[in-house]
């Protein structure tokens, strides 16, 4: 229905096929053919043509009156989209699981200062979501859970899991030597988005050849949370033992606020990846985010 409207408005405004063709970068013959096709669909003549001038019929005047505002809005939208493609700006929506929150939290102040035209929206969601269908620009997940048709960029290296408790907690209870001994301890549970309680994962080497046995344990304790931050805060306060990645607790361990245990039984997580559909790679706002994160990560490793 819209084919030919732009050509028609340009001819009607300039009263010239040649001038309209020059502005649109086509030949006058192409403009003439486009207008004829439009008139055929409308079912009425839109323009009067003589060898020296171009005028509007009554139907043409009516169409021009209604079409000009729409064409102007489309042109404005095109210009806005073109500008968006040239600079990092707009809303950047990222979906991530609770356990990945500590991965992004350190960069948020710096990213906001470096890119004031980007509005970053972070949605915490432990479900496996379809980021395209749900309108996200990208998602963050553990590498092994990402669909093969997505582009994946590594954010963190593989990291061992760990069980940690505060010095005050361990001053009252001996550190467990095997995962089964967690039954004797207060553990901070984590509730998944599905409603289920997360079972702590462990692995044990069975022989000298390196054969491993992977197993899970349902722990009990005085507190259930649905976020990594509250879990670690509670562990620092001495509420009980927390299960998390070694990367997430590294700073707290270094400060002496938490102590690890069961190191010989901890599995390794593949690491977190930012993933997105291939066509999103060209988005300036997404490129800006990836570049900023890469620069921050390099600085953090040197600090």
């Amino acid at each position: 229905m819209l084919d030919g409207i732009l050509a028609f408005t340009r001819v009607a405004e300039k009263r010239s096929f040649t001038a309209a063709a020059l502005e649109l970068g086509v030949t006058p013959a192409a403009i003439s053919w486009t207008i004829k096709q439009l008139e055929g669909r409308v079912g009425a003549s839109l323009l009067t043509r003589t060898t020296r001038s171009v005028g509007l019929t009554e139907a043409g005047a009516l169409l021009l009156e209604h079409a000009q505002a729409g064409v102007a809005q489309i042109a404005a939208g095109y210009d806005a989209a073109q500008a968006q493609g040239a600079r990092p700006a707009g809303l950047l929506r990222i979906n991530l699981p609770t356990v990945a929150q500590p991965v992004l939290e350190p960069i948020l102040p710096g990213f906001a200062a470096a890119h004031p035209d980007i509005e970053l929206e972070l949605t915490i969601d432990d479900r496996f979501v379809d980021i395209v269908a749900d309108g996200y620009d990208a998602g963050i997940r553990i590498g092994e859970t990402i669909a093969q048709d997505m582009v994946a960029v590594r954010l963190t290296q593989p990291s061992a899991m760990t069980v940690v408790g505060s010095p005050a907690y361990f001053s009252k209870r001996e550190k467990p030597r095997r995962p089964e001994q967690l039954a004797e301890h207060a553990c901070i549970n984590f509730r998944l988005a599905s409603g289920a309680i997360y079972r702590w994962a462990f692995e044990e080497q069975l022989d000298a050849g390196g054969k491993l046995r992977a197993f899970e344990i349902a722990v009990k304790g005085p507190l259930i949370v649905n976020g990594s931050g509250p879990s670690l805060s509670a562990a620092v306060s001495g509420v009980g033992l927390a299960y998390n990645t070694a990367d997430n607790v590294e700073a707290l361990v270094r400060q002496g606020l938490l102590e690890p245990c069961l190191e010989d039984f901890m599995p390794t997580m593949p690491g977190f990846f930012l993933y997105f559909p291939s066509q999103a790679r060209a988005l300036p706002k997404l490129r800006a985010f990836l570049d900023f994160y890469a620069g921050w990560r390099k600085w953090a490793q040197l600090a």
Side-chain angles (χ1 to χ4, degrees):
M1 180 183 294
L2 296 178
D3 289 349
I5 295 294
L6 179 60
F8 164 73
T9 58
R10 291 296 180 264
V11 172
E13 291 166 355
K14 296 181 177 299
R15 295 295 196 270
S16 168
F17 280 79
T18 302
L22 184 62
E23 179 178 329
L24 296 176
V26 297
T27 65
I31 290 285
S32 179
W33 181 87
T34 300
I35 298 297
K36 286 180 180 178
Q37 295 296 311
L38 178 61
E39 289 176 326
R41 293 195 302 276
V42 172
S45 295
L46 301 174
L47 299 170
T48 60
R49 309 166 179 83
T50 69
T51 55
R52 290 182 297 178
S53 66
V54 175
L56 287 169
T57 66
E58 185 177 356
L62 285 171
L63 179 59
L64 180 63
E65 179 183 351
H66 289 84
Q68 278 181 313
V71 169
Q73 287 186 335
I74 292 173
Y78 178 85
D79 290 342
Q82 191 175 47
Q84 182 77 359
R87 64 185 177 87
L91 178 64
L92 177 61
R93 303 186 70 220
I94 299 177
N95 183 286
L96 66 157
T98 305
V99 72
Q101 280 183 261
V103 175
L104 294 190
E105 286 173 352
I107 77 164
L108 297 182
F111 182 76
H115 296 285
D117 293 331
I118 296 179
E119 184 180 8
L120 181 62
E121 178 181 344
L122 301 178
T123 299
I124 309 301
D125 194 339
D126 292 310
R127 299 173 301 127
F128 290 102
V129 301
D130 183 336
I131 60 171
V132 176
D134 289 354
Y136 293 101
D137 297 295
I140 295 176
R141 288 295 183 276
I142 296 173
E144 62 188 8
T145 65
I146 296 174
Q148 292 184 350
D149 60 348
M150 291 286 172
V151 177
V153 177
R154 179 178 286 280
L155 296 180
T156 66
Q157 295 301 314
S159 173
M161 302 303 294
T162 187
V163 174
V164 289
S166 69
Y169 178 88
F170 287 130
S171 69
K172 300 175 183 178
R173 304 194 190 194
E174 184 180 354
K175 288 184 179 181
R177 295 184 298 277
R178 291 189 55 82
E180 293 83 359
Q181 293 177 334
L182 289 172
E184 304 165 10
H185 286 264
C187 297
I188 301 166
N189 265 306
F190 181 87
R191 190 178 297 280
L192 301 170
S194 64
I197 298 295
Y198 179 75
R199 295 169 61 90
W200 293 10
F202 299 96
E203 62 183 26
E204 181 178 17
Q205 185 169 322
L206 296 180
D207 55 38
K211 185 177 180 180
L212 297 176
R213 177 179 72 95
F215 59 101
E216 298 176 346
I217 291 180
V219 298
K220 294 182 179 181
L223 181 64
I224 301 173
V225 298
N226 68 346
S228 176
S231 172
L232 294 181
S233 295
V236 169
S237 299
V239 173
L241 303 181
Y243 186 94
N244 213 300
T245 67
D247 283 348
N248 283 352
V249 304
E250 179 183 1
L252 296 172
V253 171
R254 190 168 58 244
Q255 295 169 40
L257 298 175
L258 290 175
E259 297 177 3
C261 61
L262 298 173
E263 291 97 323
D264 292 338
F265 297 90
M266 305 311 301
T268 298
M269 183 189 73
F272 288 109
F273 289 75
L274 184 84
Y275 68 100
F276 46 88
S278 59
Q279 62 268 27
R281 185 194 295 270
L283 292 175
K285 58 187 178 181
L286 186 56
R287 291 203 311 270
F289 181 84
L290 286 169
D291 290 345
F292 185 90
Y293 185 87
W296 174 86
R297 188 74 179 176
K298 189 175 296 184
W299 172 85
Q301 289 172 346
L302 295 175

